Amino acid sequence: MKNPAIKIQKTELLSDNWYILNKVTFNFQKKDNSWITQKREVYDRGNGAAILLYNAEQKTVILTRQFRLPTYLNGNASGMSIEVCAGLLDQDQPEQCIIRETEEETGYRLSNVTKIMESYMSPGAVTEILYLFTGAYNASMKVSEGGGVAHEEENIEVLEMPFDQAYAMIATGEIKDAKTIMLLQYAKIHQLV
């Protein structure tokens, strides 16, 4: 059901180079019942999924390291980011997406995952909902080296490390990625490892 206090007046396409950037003009009814007109830029890059791979027996997790231009442009001197495995949904469901992305990026083939939550990662400007998962892994699930797929020009380093080390990297600032922080904190709270 749509909110009757919001009336979209106009949507203007600003860019469709990589994803979609629109300028949306809308009317918004305030609490005093008066109406105001606002304009906002909205970036639509589709929805995504992310997963924390963990091994409770070894007390380890699988993370990735890759170059992220926006972080480089905003103070990350190396541009490298340590993150959980993640990807955008194509035409598939979140569970199918994250199982596919896990194998492409990390080389581990999972048969099942556990969805733990959905989150708007930057609701002031980006439409994306991110579906967050956890998944247990072990050495027998390793089917390739991972690293991403060539046609997507991915260059992903796969990191296996003790959970406690990964969790400590939040405090040191070595991990600044929101989805990764959320999933590591979830694992800590729920004692997955």
Side-chain angles (χ1 to χ4, degrees), residues 15-16 20 28 32 35-36 48 56 59 63 91-92 125 128 140 144 161 174 180-181:
S15 174
D16 67 352
I20 304 295
F28 178 81
D32 68 2
W35 288 84
I36 58 171
K59 300 188 181 323
L63 299 175
Q91 300 301 317
D92 48 5
E128 177 187 35
S140 71
S144 74
M161 67 180 67
E174 293 169 272
T180 304
I181 293 168

Side-chain angles (χ1 to χ4, degrees), residues 134-158:
T134 59
Y137 79 93
N138 61 52
S140 71
M141 298 171 160
K142 185 83 168 166
V143 296
S144 74
E145 291 305 306
V149 291
H151 74 274
E152 293 179 10
E153 298 180 357
E154 294 178 313
N155 186 21
I156 298 168
E157 181 184 357
V158 180

Side-chain angles (χ1 to χ4, degrees), residues 15-26:
S15 174
D16 67 352
N17 184 34
W18 189 255
Y19 300 113
I20 304 295
L21 178 62
N22 286 313
K23 182 163 82 174
V24 179
T25 304
F26 63 100

Side-chain angles (χ1 to χ4, degrees), residues 23-180:
K23 182 163 82 174
V24 179
T25 304
F26 63 100
N27 295 337
F28 178 81
Q29 189 175 26
K30 300 185 328 183
K31 288 183 180 183
D32 68 2
N33 290 325
S34 65
W35 288 84
I36 58 171
T37 300
Q38 296 185 333
K39 295 179 182 181
R40 296 289 185 269
E41 290 184 2
V42 178
Y43 192 55
D44 183 351
R45 60 184 301 267
N47 294 326
I51 189 167
L52 177 65
L53 298 173
Y54 69 95
N55 183 312
E57 203 171 280
Q58 291 180 194
K59 300 188 181 323
T60 55
V61 292
I62 300 288
L63 299 175
T64 65
R65 182 181 359 240
Q66 59 188 305
F67 179 75
R68 297 295 198 185
L69 178 63
T71 74
Y72 181 74
L73 296 174
N74 193 21
N76 179 357
S78 72
M80 300 304 284
S81 181
I82 297 174
E83 306 176 12
V84 292
C85 173
L88 291 176
L89 276 57
D90 292 325
Q91 300 301 317
D92 48 5
Q93 295 299 311
E95 293 84 359
Q96 296 166 317
C97 168
I98 203 57
I99 288 171
R100 181 188 71 249
E101 289 290 336
T102 298
E103 187 169 336
E104 289 175 2
E105 291 188 7
T106 71
Y108 286 89
R109 182 174 293 154
L110 302 178
S111 56
N112 56 42
V113 295
T114 302
K115 181 181 165 192
I116 58 167
M117 69 179 90
E118 299 175 15
S119 178
Y120 289 104
M121 296 306 289
S122 188
V126 181
T127 61
E128 177 187 35
I129 293 176
L130 193 61
Y131 299 89
L132 299 174
F133 294 88
T134 59
Y137 79 93
N138 61 52
S140 71
M141 298 171 160
K142 185 83 168 166
V143 296
S144 74
E145 291 305 306
V149 291
H151 74 274
E152 293 179 10
E153 298 180 357
E154 294 178 313
N155 186 21
I156 298 168
E157 181 184 357
V158 180
L159 308 172
E160 182 176 31
M161 67 180 67
F163 173 78
D164 289 341
Q165 177 186 346
Y167 193 77
M169 292 169 82
I170 298 170
T172 65
E174 293 169 272
I175 293 178
K176 291 185 178 179
D177 175 66
K179 65 187 175 295
T180 304

